[in-house]
Structure formats: structure tokens, C-alpha cells
Amino acid sequence: MGERQIWLDGFGSKAGRRSMCSVFLGGWRGSGGSRQIFRPRFGDSGVRKDLPWRIFYQSRDGFVIDDSGRARLQCRRKPEHIFVDHWWPYCSAIVLATASLFAISGLGCRSSVGIEDPAATFEHIRSDFLHGSLDVAQAEAEEARERFASRDANWSMKFRLLEGEILTYQGRRTDVLHLLDDKTVSYPDTGDAAIQRDLLCGLAHAGLGQSQQSDQELRQARVLCDLSNSHLDGEVFNAEARIQLNRNNLTAASDLYRKSLQAARGHADAFLEASDLLNLGYVALQMEHYDEAVALLQEATKFARSVQARQVTEAAMGDMGDAFYRLGDYEKALSNFQAAEKEAREIGTTSAQVVWLWEAGSSYYKLGDLKEAKTCYERALKSATAINATDQISDIETQLALLYFQEGQFDSAKIQSDEAVRAANLSGDKGAEIDAKFVQALLAIHQPNGQDAERMLMEVYESAEGAPYVRWQIEDGLAKYFTVRQNQKQAEIWYRRSIQTFEDKRNEVTDEELKLPFFANGNDLYRDYASFLIASHREDEALKLLDLGRARTLAEGLGTRKNSPTLREVMNPQAIARKLNAVILFYSLGSEKSYLWAITATHTSLFLLPKEQEIESHVQTYQKAILRSSDALREANVDGRYLYDTIVAPAASMIPDGAKVFIIPDGGLNGLNFETLLKPGVGKLHYWIEDVTLTNANSIRLLSKVDSVSSSNEADNLLLIGNPVSSGTEYESLRNAPAEVDEIKRHFTVDRETVLTQAEAVPSAYGTVRPDRFEYIHFVAHGTASRLSPLDSAVVLSASTAHPEEYKLYAREIVHHPLHARLVTISSCYGSGLRAYAGEELVGLSWAFLRAGAHNVIGALWEVNDASTPQLMDRLYGGLESGSKPDEALRTAKLAMMRSDGVTRKPMYWAAFQLYAGS
């Protein structure tokens, strides 16, 4: 098989390298290899192709019927959304229209005691229908139809059409046609009732595979609608869109849904508008336009909530979870799936509840919480079994098999995958069968001969044409297969292909906020390839590869990287260390083993570290001790000593006392201040800050852009914003903020400072004063950090008189104001952020200022003390005033506090602030 040109075009094997043992059986991701591979997401089962005209309907016996089938692997996307009770917005549009007609035609009828009011009966049945009581509503509609047959033919027809809608929703297509093609009944030829009949019959015929008849009926509905200028034009467009979507004509479906949306807005039909937005969001998902999908689904959620359309809300939140999952933001995905599951549970839609449980399990899985993932899968399987949803059963069985595979329980995984294949055969679901066989292929790799594994993987791979999310997983699996077979050449080809496939898809995401989490999709691909390179004694290439995956969004935003990086670019880590006169420590944490590269001006060394979980456990315990205000040094804290001994000491011989050290952390190390690590010394234990000057960085490539930034005579030295007017009890006034403002001001001349405090310190002022003019920018205020949405982190300032609700300067706004500042200091809590994205590291206010162009940013890892912070900042600016660089000035200020006899000697007070290097 020939190798296509890919982005790693300069990255080849060196002659004479001997084959190594398998990294598949004990690499970064444990016995199962990469987690990325463990969720087949083939094509599309067609479940949420349309809200008004659902492709999945609930049958009389509780089975789910799929008109589109799942045989086309290239379209199957992921564990799908069974959506049996969510057709109501469309139905409500038609039923409301029909009810209006009924009410109009019945205005002359006088209701009296003992005489049934057909309009009230109709509304009662409609309510049962829209609340999901399908069997009850269908029986009531049938009874009312028969009861009024001899009393009022018009009302009998209306109940007949209502019954047809309910039967459509139940998936009883043959019954729909029998009901609406009864030769003993006279049907209307024109008007909305005729349009509704044509739509229902057209969709029933489509569901039965009778496309010619379906097309004819939908064309007739279109003609009648155009002739009468009916307000059902939106529903006609919607039905036509559903047919195109069922045929996988995504562009045509999108165009028709947009026409339906336009009609809905023209008729002020919020129900249909919410439905169309949901369906457009689903189409965008199918087209893998995830930023567009998120925007549409957010709008759908807003409209659905405004009209209390809970089922649309549920669907939109679930689909949004799907979009975030595809973007690699598993925390946001989980939050949305849990919210959707809660809605489904309260509404009573079991099939939808099964799907959201399943999806939540997959999110937990990607977040590494296999226990919670298993719990969700088992709950979903129990519910799916109760409603005999065989296609869902097969998919969940496959997920459980993957989970067991990840844990190295290969016998249990085989039993589960065999069950999944049987369930898929029972349901006739070819896509689910292929998913299960994918797991079987992975298991086959571990068999003594493993000869069937390549064939099985290649069969799935060929079927996944046009599904990049699937192909990069299979490509990674094939690379592992060839590694196990010690075919280094083929293994490298497939590793490189998997990364190329991922990079091609990443380049399609244009929204910066959505791009931030996306690298999580490819993180394991990079790790797996790096593990292969290390096993092949190509450690320097592994370092370059992993560094290419770091700080991508930040680099692209700064303009230092426009396209996918390549290893042909000259990136000499030792030359960068030499230029900076520093040591660089680059960390990569993995589930089975972790790595540290130590880089000096003359040498690069690789050190093996313990697995991620072990390291992060000590980090968390040490952080808790620090935040309890413990005196780590006097107590000789065991975790502080362990962390130094484990993650620094291996490279200690390369780090002389007095050295500048740049830390490029990974995973849980982002929340650790390395200065607090306890280093054994001659005669006494001490904090590592006493020996070195530390700065955090995002990547070696970005460090290569760091230059010595000197003061400019043309620059306004200081922009100081803070001591705002309190915005309420949630953010009380900072008692020591005025003192901090005064102490900082005295380090600058009056003509070289711009100070905005109290009522002047409003968010809009930041952009108005042109922050790009300033060499130093300092904030003295409360800060907020959002873990779920890091760019919603904010500096809390004063509210303006005109807009009292606007008192936060958000990270998402900060990135849009270019900076050239030598130093930005965020003197507030959690300025560093709470969320570390794979490849991007901590994202919050500090990241936002770096993204805007700041050369250095000081931010806090935890809550900062209002009393001690002004002392630290005064010493910091005193050092800067005397000519020290930011890293030196901050270290000196911290050492002064640390060496005091008071409470500020504890790391909780002096170690909160960290320095982050930009470019």
C-alpha cells in the first residue's frame, strides 16, 4: 500500500534502527492502547435526522423502527439518539393549525349541558399526544373519530387526521395509510386538511421505501400549499427536508430546513422555528460543521425554552453534547448529556433517556472515569433491554466491550462483543454489527497469531470512507497492529496517516473557542506515535512530535502558526535553551508511564516517570495541604518531597543552582507551582524556589519566539485598573485594593501611568484606552474562573450606569484587544484558570492575555489573600523599577515573603502567583 504525502513529511525511520517490542501492550494508554480508538463513530444511523418527521418511531410493540437503515458505514456517526417522543413540535404546528380551523368552523355551534364540545375533546387528545401519552391519545382519537362519524363529518375528519399524526409518530406507517386511504371515506381535495393528508401519506410511503409514491404526495402537498397560500408551507418544507435527509442529501435538506425556518419566522411559529433550528443543527453535525452546529443548537434551546418545548430542549442539549464531544470538549459534552437525560427522565421518554445515559458514559470514558462510564452503560443497557431496543442493546454492549478492553479484561471484552454481534444480527443493524466487529478485531491483535486482525481492521477501514473520526481511530489501530507484528515501516505509515486525518479535520474548525478542546481528539494519536518513536530509540523526534501538539490554538492566534506544523521546520530545542540561557523541562504524562525531557544548551535527556494517576494524586494532596495553610517546609510535607524527588530530581544534574528554568507542564502538573517542591539540601530541606528562577511556558516552539523585551520611550508605562465599585454582595469590596493601587502607582511617574478606579474601572474602559500602548498592565479586583467555559472567566470591575448588568471583563473579550505589554499582572483569584485542555494547558484569564500578545503574564492558581497580596505586588514592582526582569522580580518578592517570620512564609500566601511566558 503506497504512502501518501502527509504533514509529517520529514519524519522517517533511520536506517539501522532495530525493531522494538510492542508498545501496544504497555504504552501510554495501557493494555488497550489509545482511548481514542475505543468509541467507533461510524456514519449515521439516522436517528436525529429530523425533529418534526422522525426517522425513528416507536412501534406498537415498543421496537424502534429505522427507515434509513444503518447499513451505510460511511454515514454512521456515533452511538445514536433514539428519539421516539420528540416529534411534537411539528405535530403541534399542524395540530394547532387544524385545531384553529376546527375552532373557526365550530364558532357557530352552541355548547350546552349534555352536549359534547368537539373542540374541547380535540384539545384534550392533543394534550395527551404532546405530553407523550401516545397509546392513550391514539385510542381517544380513534374513539372520537368513530363517535363523530354520524354526527359531524367535518370533526370526524379532523380526528382522523389527528389519529394519523399519532400513528405516524408511533411508526405505524401501514396503519396511517389504511386510515387515510379508506375508500369509504370522502377526503377533502383542497385546503389545509388535504395538505396534511398528503404529508402524512407521503411520509408513510417514504418510511415503507415507496419513494415514487412519496414524492408524488409531497409534490401534491406543495402544489396545494402554493395555491392556497397556506400557512402550512413551513411544514411542507420541513417534510421535504426530512426526505432529503433520509436520502443523505445534506445540502438539499439544509436548504429546505432554512426555507421552513423562514416560513416559521414569518408566521411567528416558535414551535416550528425551534424544530427547524434543531434539525439544522443536526444537519450541521452530519456535515461535521461543528461550530455552526453549536450556534444553531444554542439558538434552538433558547427558542424551545421560551415556549416550554421541553422535548426540543432535550434534543438540542443532547445534540449540543454530541457537537462538544466531537470537538473534544468532553466536560461540556457530559454536562449537556446529563441535562438532556434529566429532561428525558422527567418527560418520560425512555428511549431518549437510554441514549443520553449512553452518551454520558462515553464522556466519562473519555475523561478517564471508567467506573462512572460503566455505571452509565449498565443503566442504559438495563433500560434498552426493558423496551427491547435491540439496536441500542448492541451498541451499548459494544461500548462495554471497549471498556473491558481498555481495562485489559480481554475475556470479558470478548464475551461482551460477541453479545453485541448477536444483538446487531437480531436487529438487522449492519452498522452496529461493524462496531462490534471492530472490537473483535482489536481483541484479535492480542491473539497468538492475530492474522484475522488485519483483515478485520481493513474491512472496517474501507467501509469508513468519508468518516474521518472513525478513520483516524482505525488507522491508529492498524499502526498498533503492525507494531505488535514488528513491522516498523507499516506501523509508521499508519501512525502518520492517523495524525494527518486528524489534522485535516482540525483545520476545518474555525471558531477559536471550539478549537481549544479539539486536540483532545488527537492527543492519543500523538502519544501513541511518540511511544512508538521512543521504543525505536528516536527520543528527540518524539519530543518534537509532542511539542507540535502543544499550544496550537495559542500559536495560531498569535500568528506564529498559520497551518499545521511540520517536522521539516527547524526546531532545535538545545539552541532555544542556549538562546534563553535556561533549562527547559518538558513533561508528558501517560496512563502507564510518563516522560520528562530535560534540555540544556548542550544536551537533551529523556527520563522515565511514574504513571499520570500516581503523580497527579500527590499533586492534589500537596495542593490541599498548601490551601489548608500548612507550613509545608517545617512539616517536611511528604508529597512536596515526593514530587521533587520524582519529577525534578532525575534531571537535577542538568539544573545548576541559580539556573533559569522553563516548565512546560502536562495534565495535572498545570495546577502545581514547582517553586513549592521540597528539595533536600546539604543539611536542610528547602523550597526549590531558593535554587532556581521558574517560568511556565506552553511549548518549546513558542519559547523560540521569546525575545528580551526592553522598555520603549514611546510606551505609556502603566495601565492600572482596579479597586472597582462593589457589584453587590457576591463581590464585596476589597479592603486592601486602594492600598495596592497606591503602592503600585508610586513606582511610576504620574505622566507615564493611566489609572482607572472606582466608577471609571468599567469593562468597556479597557478597550477604550487602547491597551496596546502600555508596557505594564495591572488589575486589582475580584476574578472569576469558569471550568466549563474557560473564556467566560472574568475580571470583576465596576458596572456602568447605563448597563448595570455589565461589570465583567471576560477572557473572550480580552483576546480581541492586541497587546505588546512586557507584563500583565492579574491580582485576583484564579487568574491562571481552572481548566487544562489537552495540548493547550491551562486556559483562563492568563491564557487570554497571552493570546492577546502579552510577553509575560502573572496569574494566580488559587484564591489570593487580600492582606498579603499588596505586599507582594509592591516588592514585584520595586524589582521591576530597579531593572529586574519579571521572572527575577517575582522570585525576589516571593522569597522576601517566604523568609519572613509571619504567616506569609507559608506557600498559600507567596506561591499562588505564577509567571507565564508568551512569545
Side-chain angles (χ1 to χ4, degrees):
M1 185 176 292
E3 180 184 1
R4 64 192 173 105
Q5 186 73 16
I6 61 175
W7 71 281
L8 294 169
D9 47 10
F11 205 148
S13 299
K14 294 182 180 179
R17 295 296 187 194
R18 59 189 176 91
S19 296
M20 298 301 296
C21 60
S22 167
V23 296
F24 187 61
L25 296 175
W28 250 300
R29 287 297 177 184
S31 57
S34 161
R35 270 203 194 110
Q36 179 62 41
I37 202 168
F38 294 124
R39 193 175 185 228
R41 296 163 88 64
F42 302 119
D44 168 34
S45 67
V47 180
R48 190 176 268 103
K49 282 189 174 176
D50 169 64
L51 181 68
W53 297 106
R54 282 291 157 217
I55 293 174
F56 272 71
Y57 301 108
Q58 186 70 33
S59 75
R60 193 190 302 265
D61 298 318
F63 285 87
V64 175
I65 302 170
D66 178 7
D67 337 334
S68 67
R70 294 176 63 171
R72 290 179 298 166
L73 200 64
Q74 68 272 19
C75 295
R76 187 164 176 268
R77 61 189 177 110
K78 60 187 289 297
E80 290 296 344
H81 307 74
I82 308 303
F83 206 151
V84 296
D85 288 349
H86 299 72
W87 188 55
W88 77 273
Y90 171 78
C91 296
S92 69
I94 287 190
V95 172
L96 282 171
T98 310
S100 299
L101 291 173
F102 300 166
I104 292 171
S105 62
L107 284 177
C109 299
R110 187 162 46 95
S111 177
S112 60
V113 176
I115 300 177
E116 179 182 3
D117 181 356
T121 300
F122 187 96
E123 182 62 27
H124 170 76
I125 298 170
R126 169 185 171 274
S127 179
D128 284 341
F129 173 34
L130 298 183
H131 285 88
S133 302
L134 303 183
D135 291 340
V136 171
Q138 188 273 321
E140 291 173 338
E142 181 179 10
E143 182 183 355
R145 167 174 59 81
E146 293 174 350
R147 192 166 62 249
F148 280 91
S150 59
R151 294 163 48 185
D152 190 324
N154 285 335
W155 272 110
S156 180
M157 178 58 63
K158 294 159 190 174
F159 284 114
R160 182 180 295 272
L161 292 170
L162 175 58
E163 183 183 357
E165 292 170 7
I166 299 170
L167 291 170
T168 299
Y169 191 75
Q170 291 177 307
R172 296 164 59 178
R173 300 167 186 81
T174 302
D175 291 342
V176 171
L177 295 174
H178 177 77
L179 179 70
L180 298 182
D181 199 23
D182 188 338
K183 304 303 181 186
T184 66
V185 176
S186 176
Y187 295 94
D189 295 325
T190 59
D192 285 351
I195 295 171
Q196 185 182 5
R197 178 184 176 228
D198 282 335
L199 289 176
L200 293 171
C201 289
L203 290 167
H205 281 119
L208 294 170
Q210 300 168 13
S211 57
Q212 186 173 356
Q213 182 69 18
S214 171
D215 290 346
Q216 179 180 336
E217 285 160 339
L218 290 180
R219 280 197 300 271
Q220 179 63 21
R222 165 60 51 211
V223 170
L224 292 174
C225 186
D226 291 343
L227 287 173
S228 62
N229 196 27
S230 170
H231 61 280
L232 292 180
D233 54 343
E235 283 72 22
V236 175
F237 284 127
N238 196 293
E240 292 169 336
R242 183 260 191 233
I243 298 298
Q244 293 303 316
L245 188 54
N246 192 36
R247 295 170 182 172
N248 206 36
N249 297 328
L250 299 180
T251 302
S254 179
D255 290 343
L256 287 164
Y257 277 131
R258 291 193 183 280
K259 289 181 179 179
S260 179
L261 179 63
Q262 184 178 5
R265 287 172 172 167
H267 300 313
D269 186 341
F271 291 105
L272 183 59
E273 182 170 357
S275 167
D276 288 328
L277 288 167
L278 174 64
N279 291 321
L280 282 165
Y282 175 78
V283 173
L285 276 177
Q286 291 300 98
M287 299 175 78
E288 300 185 353
H289 298 164
Y290 300 119
D291 32 12
E292 179 185 354
V294 168
L296 287 164
L297 293 166
Q298 286 174 337
E299 196 173 357
T301 303
K302 181 182 72 173
F303 270 92
R305 285 176 173 159
S306 72
V307 294
Q308 298 182 340
R310 294 187 67 184
Q311 292 173 319
V312 185
T313 303
E314 172 224 307
M317 288 191 300
D319 273 353
M320 216 173 335
D322 187 5
F324 285 125
Y325 188 101
R326 300 294 193 91
L327 288 163
D329 196 336
Y330 305 121
E331 292 194 18
K332 276 189 179 178
L334 177 60
S335 176
N336 277 274
F337 290 143
Q338 289 174 327
E341 190 274 332
K342 181 176 182 291
E343 287 285 336
R345 180 170 11 101
E346 293 177 356
I347 295 169
T349 54
T350 303
S351 291
Q353 195 178 346
V354 167
V355 171
W356 305 135
L357 277 171
W358 173 7
E359 299 280 28
S362 295
S363 299
Y364 276 122
Y365 184 96
K366 298 296 288 188
L367 290 168
D369 192 338
L370 301 189
K371 182 179 178 181
E372 283 297 328
K374 186 177 181 181
T375 298
C376 289
Y377 289 150
E378 288 175 342
R379 287 178 59 197
L381 182 60
K382 182 178 179 180
S383 297
T385 302
I387 62 174
N388 200 19
T390 53
D391 57 342
Q392 293 182 56
I393 291 170
S394 173
D395 286 328
I396 300 167
E397 294 272 16
T398 298
Q399 292 303 115
L400 281 167
L402 291 170
L403 188 148
Y404 287 129
F405 182 83
Q406 172 68 24
E407 293 179 330
Q409 301 181 43
F410 301 128
D411 291 340
S412 297
K414 185 178 187 309
I415 292 170
Q416 208 78 53
S417 63
D418 289 345
E419 289 292 330
V421 171
R422 278 193 286 274
N425 288 334
L426 282 174
S427 68
D429 188 338
K430 296 298 182 183
E433 183 180 351
I434 292 170
D435 288 358
K437 287 185 175 179
F438 184 25
V439 184
Q440 291 181 331
L442 297 177
L443 288 167
I445 298 175
H446 293 271
Q447 300 307 310
N449 53 36
Q451 293 176 353
D452 287 341
E454 181 181 0
R455 174 185 57 78
M456 296 167 72
L457 285 168
M458 288 305 302
E459 285 178 358
V460 178
Y461 182 69
E462 294 300 328
S463 300
E465 181 68 35
Y469 277 85
V470 181
R471 289 178 77 87
W472 74 55
Q473 296 177 56
I474 303 171
E475 288 162 346
D476 192 55
L478 282 162
K480 291 184 173 70
Y481 167 78
F482 285 115
T483 301
V484 171
R485 298 294 170 258
Q486 298 195 13
N487 186 336
Q488 304 292 82
K489 181 178 179 180
Q490 281 295 315
E492 184 147 23
I493 287 172
W494 286 106
Y495 278 127
R496 294 166 67 181
R497 283 183 175 172
S498 70
I499 292 176
Q500 179 65 58
T501 304
F502 163 75
E503 289 295 336
D504 289 344
K505 178 51 61 177
R506 184 184 180 278
N507 287 336
E508 294 179 12
V509 181
T510 57
D511 185 285
E512 186 171 61
E513 185 171 1
L514 297 179
K515 185 171 279 192
L516 273 170
F518 195 84
F519 190 78
N521 287 299
N523 193 36
D524 290 332
L525 305 178
Y526 277 76
R527 290 185 188 276
D528 290 339
Y529 190 12
S531 187
F532 168 84
L533 293 168
I534 291 169
S536 302
H537 301 296
R538 296 157 63 186
E539 296 89 348
D540 289 352
E541 292 179 63
L543 171 61
K544 292 179 182 180
L545 172 71
L546 291 173
D547 191 69
L548 286 176
R550 299 289 179 92
R552 295 280 296 283
T553 308
L554 179 59
E556 289 161 356
L558 290 170
T560 64
R561 164 59 49 208
K562 296 298 184 183
N563 303 306
S564 298
T566 74
L567 287 170
R568 285 198 173 191
E569 298 175 13
V570 177
M571 202 276 284
N572 186 330
Q574 291 173 206
I576 296 169
R578 186 161 50 250
K579 171 188 172 185
L580 297 171
N581 191 26
V583 179
I584 301 171
L585 300 183
F586 184 101
Y587 290 89
S588 181
L589 304 187
S591 62
E592 291 300 316
K593 61 183 73 171
S594 302
Y595 294 101
L596 161 63
W597 278 268
I599 306 147
T600 69
T602 59
H603 194 63
T604 298
S605 294
L606 173 64
F607 301 93
L608 181 65
L609 304 181
K611 61 184 179 181
E612 180 178 24
Q613 184 179 8
E614 179 179 331
I615 293 173
E616 291 190 352
S617 174
H618 286 279
V619 170
Q620 291 166 10
T621 306
Y622 192 39
Q623 291 290 78
K624 288 177 182 177
I626 289 175
L627 296 180
R628 287 197 304 268
S629 191
S630 65
D631 194 329
L633 182 58
R634 293 187 180 182
E635 297 168 8
N637 184 281
V638 63
D639 295 292
R641 287 184 286 129
Y642 167 88
L643 287 168
Y644 179 84
D645 292 342
T646 304
I647 65 176
V648 176
S653 63
M654 302 174 66
I655 311 171
D657 287 350
K660 288 182 179 289
V661 179
F662 286 91
I663 304 289
I664 301 177
D666 188 29
L669 295 179
N670 281 281
L672 174 68
N673 187 334
F674 280 66
E675 296 169 325
T676 66
L677 302 187
L678 296 173
K679 178 183 175 181
V682 179
K684 70 171 185 176
L685 198 67
H686 60 280
Y687 292 115
W688 196 29
I689 188 176
E690 296 196 63
D691 294 344
V692 295
T693 302
L694 291 174
T695 302
N696 274 44
N698 290 281
S699 74
I700 299 173
R701 285 178 298 109
L702 280 179
L703 281 178
S704 70
K705 308 296 182 182
V706 171
D707 289 312
S708 177
V709 182
S710 58
S711 300
S712 168
N713 293 329
E714 297 178 358
D716 288 341
N717 275 355
L718 174 69
L719 170 61
L720 177 57
I721 303 178
N723 185 26
V725 177
S726 173
S727 298
T729 56
E730 185 179 1
Y731 302 107
E732 296 179 354
S733 296
L734 295 171
R735 186 172 57 182
N736 293 295
E740 182 173 339
V741 169
D742 290 341
E743 287 169 358
I744 293 171
K745 284 169 56 179
R746 69 184 180 85
H747 295 290
F748 298 85
T749 60
V750 175
D751 62 326
R752 303 300 294 278
E753 62 185 19
T754 298
V755 180
L756 302 174
T757 61
Q758 292 290 284
E760 292 183 318
V762 295
S764 60
Y766 177 71
T768 303
V769 298
R770 285 186 48 221
D772 60 312
R773 297 182 296 127
F774 296 93
E775 190 174 4
Y776 296 97
I777 299 175
H778 190 101
F779 290 89
V780 185
H782 283 292
T784 67
S786 171
R787 178 173 181 82
L788 197 59
S789 184
L791 293 187
D792 283 336
S793 302
V795 179
V796 180
L797 299 173
S798 302
S800 67
T801 305
H803 302 284
E805 74 286 357
E806 296 179 4
Y807 54 88
K808 290 183 179 181
L809 176 61
Y810 288 98
R812 67 177 69 259
E813 298 166 353
I814 290 167
V815 299
H816 295 300
H817 296 286
L819 297 178
H820 306 289
R822 183 188 191 197
L823 176 66
V824 173
T825 303
I826 312 160
S827 185
S828 64
C829 302
Y830 299 108
S832 298
L834 295 174
R835 177 80 173 274
Y837 286 118
E840 296 293 342
E841 312 315 332
L842 277 177
V843 175
L845 288 169
S846 294
W847 185 93
F849 284 111
L850 290 174
R851 164 64 181 82
H855 297 286
N856 294 279
V857 176
I858 294 175
L861 287 169
W862 53 77
E863 291 184 1
V864 298
N865 183 270
D866 184 42
S868 61
T869 299
Q871 301 172 34
L872 180 73
M873 295 302 166
D874 183 32
R875 292 188 177 108
L876 166 70
Y877 282 95
L880 294 170
E881 186 180 16
S882 66
S884 296
K885 294 181 178 179
D887 57 347
E888 298 164 346
L890 181 59
R891 176 175 178 264
T892 300
K894 288 182 176 182
L895 288 173
M897 294 181 69
M898 187 199 74
R899 291 168 176 165
S900 70
D901 294 327
V903 70
T904 60
R905 72 180 185 278
K906 299 178 180 180
M908 186 180 80
Y909 297 95
W910 60 262
F913 291 101
Q914 283 208 141
L915 180 67
Y916 298 90
S919 64

